Amino acid sequence: MASLSLFSLFCVFSFLLGMAHAQLSSNFYASSCPKALSTIRAAVNNAVAKERRMGASLLRLHFHDCFVLGCDASILLDDTASFTGEKTAGPNKDSVRGYEVIDTIKSQVESLCPGVVSCADIVAVAARDSVVALGGPTWTLQLGRRDSTTASLSTANSDLPGPASDLSTLISRFSNKGFTTKEMVALSGTHTIGKARCTSFRSRIYNETNIDAAFATSKQKICPSTGGDNNLSDLDETTTVFDNVYFRNLKAKKGLLHSDQQLYNGGSTDSIVETYSTNSATFFTDVANAMIKMGNLSPLTGTNGEIRTDCKKINGS
């Protein structure tokens, strides 16, 4: 009898777990806020037209949100006297950008449909639309995420892979979130857009040997051995276009970050890089599928979390 009760509880739990995932759908706002997606897309296109780099920043914002306790917009929460958010974590401080674009979008969507569209969904949609705006693939997003009322500075510091990561670290950090090694390489390929700060690649261009000499010299002009920490370099030479040049650069030993070149350094991921370097269609398909998977990391649904009115703060705070 006891075992039957336990079995029944397990079935109920499994059903509820399935329901939580089932509450995400591609047409979640079709009735409740039909203009939500077009409003987000127009705002993203406007932001990227003003500054092409913003597309990469919005994509990275989504990644740094989802890798820390799931895609719940916890990264957007400001610190207060009684609350510590994730903005000051090592991987985020002076690095993650685009908060003001999300705030602008939220304001526009709130005027259309107050209290309906979550900040977490706005971040996810903005990332997708940014990739499209820069010439990359599109993908169908599952929507209906809700916003967290918590954040984790410690998880942001521990779970996000950094620019000095070796291949084994990259594989394990992504594996911990359910990604295959191939998906990790595809997601790393989003470094085809955006820029990096000198502090993120100084050690590579001055100390490493698996780097094209002329490439290293050119980057040393941007990034001195001391000082200039915030000087910026393009992650690849077509940094405002989402393409597969990033992978061709790796084959030529022109990966800007240590973590980039680790993908093509005589290890298990070399063959994946070679495939993507010659077949942009395969890369586009794989990165789109990996982005869908990332967007589905531990979403809050149903009555969990809330729909924030202001993405920077918990309702009522």
Side-chain angles (χ1 to χ4, degrees):
M1 196 68 180
S3 61
L4 183 61
S5 297
L6 286 171
F7 178 74
S8 299
L9 284 171
F10 174 78
C11 289
V12 170
F13 176 75
S14 299
F15 172 76
L16 291 174
L17 196 62
M19 284 294 290
H21 288 284
Q23 287 166 348
L24 290 183
S25 67
S26 59
N27 61 351
F28 190 84
Y29 297 113
S31 299
S32 58
C33 195
K35 294 183 179 179
L37 297 185
S38 60
T39 300
I40 297 171
R41 182 170 60 252
V44 168
N45 287 342
N46 182 55
V48 172
K50 289 180 179 177
E51 184 198 8
R52 300 282 284 179
R53 182 188 175 202
M54 186 54 68
S57 297
L58 292 171
L59 176 59
R60 187 163 181 259
L61 182 65
H62 179 46
F63 166 52
H64 280 228
D65 179 33
C66 293
F67 253 57
V68 182
L69 306 181
C71 307
D72 60 2
S74 58
I75 195 172
L76 304 179
L77 291 170
D78 282 344
D79 288 359
T80 69
S82 58
F83 180 87
T84 302
E86 297 163 8
K87 289 183 176 181
T88 58
N92 297 337
K93 186 179 181 182
D94 301 323
S95 175
V96 170
R97 309 167 68 244
Y99 298 116
E100 71 284 355
V101 176
I102 300 300
D103 286 340
T104 296
I105 295 171
K106 178 62 172 176
S107 177
Q108 292 174 357
V109 172
E110 281 295 299
S111 68
L112 290 172
C113 320
V116 173
V117 182
S118 69
C119 301
D121 274 348
I122 290 172
V123 170
V125 175
R128 190 267 312 272
D129 291 348
S130 291
V131 170
V132 173
L134 295 176
T138 189
W139 55 90
T140 301
L141 277 167
Q142 297 298 301
L143 301 169
R145 301 167 189 79
R146 289 168 63 85
D147 301 323
S148 71
T149 56
T150 60
S152 178
L153 182 72
S154 61
T155 305
N157 279 321
S158 66
D159 285 19
L160 286 163
S165 298
D166 290 330
L167 181 59
S168 60
T169 299
L170 292 171
I171 291 172
S172 65
R173 291 281 174 89
F174 279 82
S175 177
N176 289 342
K177 305 298 178 182
F179 292 101
T180 66
T181 297
K182 186 177 183 181
E183 288 168 336
M184 179 273 289
V185 176
L187 290 171
S188 296
T190 61
H191 280 181
T192 184
I193 54 175
K195 298 176 183 286
R197 295 188 301 150
C198 169
T199 185
S200 299
F201 60 87
R202 178 185 284 122
S203 178
R204 169 154 169 75
I205 62 174
Y206 284 100
N207 301 323
E208 297 188 8
T209 56
N210 61 338
I211 187 168
D212 177 83
F215 175 77
T217 299
S218 70
K219 297 305 178 184
Q220 288 169 6
K221 294 176 181 177
I222 298 170
C223 180
S225 57
T226 56
D229 283 1
N230 292 322
N231 293 357
L232 296 172
S233 172
D234 295 342
L235 283 164
D236 77 18
E237 63 265 33
T238 59
T239 188
T240 60
V241 179
F242 197 100
D243 54 25
N244 67 338
V245 168
Y246 168 85
F247 295 106
R248 298 206 291 269
N249 284 352
L250 297 186
K251 290 180 66 177
K253 297 185 179 180
K254 294 180 180 180
L256 183 64
L257 306 179
H258 174 83
S259 57
D260 290 331
Q261 197 59 55
Q262 284 288 292
L263 302 180
Y264 195 82
N265 195 40
S268 61
T269 53
D270 282 15
S271 60
I272 305 171
V273 170
E274 288 171 359
T275 297
Y276 291 157
S277 72
T278 58
N279 194 326
S280 60
T282 299
F283 167 51
F284 275 25
T285 297
D286 289 354
V287 75
N289 288 333
M291 287 299 302
I292 292 170
K293 189 171 179 177
M294 187 170 73
N296 291 339
L297 286 176
S298 304
L300 298 172
T301 59
T303 57
N304 293 318
E306 64 182 16
I307 305 297
R308 288 185 215 138
T309 302
D310 181 340
C311 291
K312 300 186 296 295
K313 59 185 181 181
I314 298 163
N315 293 344
S317 64

